[in-house]
Amino acid sequence: IERMLEILGQGTIYVYAETPPDSSLLPDSAEISPSRMLEGLVYSADAEGAAVIHAVGPDYFSGMRGRELGIIMEDQDVLNPSVVSSSFADKLGLMAGDRMTLLLYEEESGRTRPILLTIAGIFPSVYPQLDSNILYIPLKTSGYGPDGYEVLLPPDGDAEEMERKLGASGCSFSSYMEIYS
């Protein structure tokens, strides 16, 4: 369960910064991705539901996450590609290539904006309690920039050492254990 919190959540450590952390502070095996968490409502032809939106950088599923989740990516050259778990897809009656509408609340303007999304990838649901409402979309589709950077270490990575280095450099961060206590 802990590894899935790292994979599905905001990485092993989430660094709160407008720019990526200095790569000299991170091990070579670390994957870094800009991200932002949002909330919205999703509508398909058959159902609707609340979604925790994980807006991420373009290579988010190209490394450890994609391999460990067993994600199957369809053609990503589609209108506003999105990724969901099989439990989320089943709940909304969706398959790869299907479209759905996301209503995303924009805090700055105080309005809700509809976005047409295409399912570009589905991963087997690991823990429906964790992944049945998570929707991954590109940061550019969300209309927001990142509010931080996820650092994902391999399962045998030394998170405590990385936390010491980040803390000594003055970075503001939280571990996945703090975020999902």
Side-chain angles (χ1 to χ4, degrees), residues 102-114:
L102 167 65
L103 291 180
L104 182 63
Y105 180 71
E106 296 178 329
E107 283 186 47
E108 290 82 18
S109 62
R111 67 183 178 103
T112 302
R113 175 173 56 109

Side-chain angles (χ1 to χ4, degrees), residues 18-83:
E18 293 181 7
T19 58
D22 183 348
S23 61
S24 68
L25 301 172
L26 308 174
D28 293 337
S29 57
E31 293 180 2
I32 304 165
S33 181
S35 77
R36 182 180 202 104
M37 299 298 282
L38 304 162
E39 295 176 351
L41 297 173
V42 178
Y43 295 88
S44 68
D46 300 326
E48 68 277 330
V52 175
I53 301 151
H54 204 143
V56 297
D59 297 326
Y60 195 74
F61 292 107
S62 63
M64 285 183 274
R65 271 189 188 85
R67 285 190 305 275
E68 291 185 44
L69 286 175
I71 192 166
I72 299 168
M73 294 298 287
E74 298 291 320
D75 180 16
Q76 290 195 34
D77 192 23
V78 295
L79 177 66
N80 300 327
S82 61
V83 174

